[in-house]
Every structure is written in C-alpha cells, then in structure tokens.
Amino acid sequence: MLICGLLFRAANIKNSLGCGISLCASARCARASKANQMGRAYGVIASLTMIFTGIAMVITAPLFALLFN
C-alpha cells in the first residue's frame, strides 16, 4: 500500500478506473480504503470491483464444488 502511488506514476497510469480496479483486485478492503484516500472516483471504482468480484465468487464457487466432487 505504501508504494502503489509510486507504481502508478512509474507506469504512467492516470486513469481512475484502472487505478481503482487494480487496487481493489489486489487486496480487497485494504486497497479499497487506499483508493478512497486517493480520490472519490478511485474509491468508487475500487468498491464496485470488490462488490462484483464478491458476486462472481458466490456464483462460481458452487459450480466449482460440483465440478470437483
């Protein structure tokens, strides 16, 4: 979390959508709070990513359980 701002600058990532998704996809709640500190748009995208990945896990987990049993 301490170096995410440096990594974004080094990779020249300035889009709030890309930053928010990458922050939240990497470590869920901790990164979502960091994204929220970076700005409102970052926080919204990070929170939406966390919600959608949670929904995807709820949908796919039973499917994987059926496949591997």
Side-chain angles (χ1 to χ4, degrees):
M1 277 184 17
L2 298 174
I3 63 169
C4 63
L6 295 172
L7 290 175
F8 290 149
R9 280 187 289 253
N12 200 21
I13 300 173
K14 297 177 183 171
N15 187 348
S16 62
L17 182 66
C19 292
I21 289 173
S22 64
L23 282 171
C24 189
S26 62
R28 303 248 191 252
C29 292
R31 297 293 180 160
S33 66
K34 178 63 177 176
N36 203 18
Q37 289 175 357
M38 291 174 67
R40 187 174 184 169
Y42 295 95
V44 169
I45 296 300
S47 297
L48 287 174
T49 302
M50 189 167 46
I51 290 168
F52 290 134
T53 55
I55 291 170
M57 291 296 291
V58 168
I59 291 171
T60 58
L63 297 175
F64 281 113
L66 289 174
L67 286 174
F68 293 112
N69 276 335

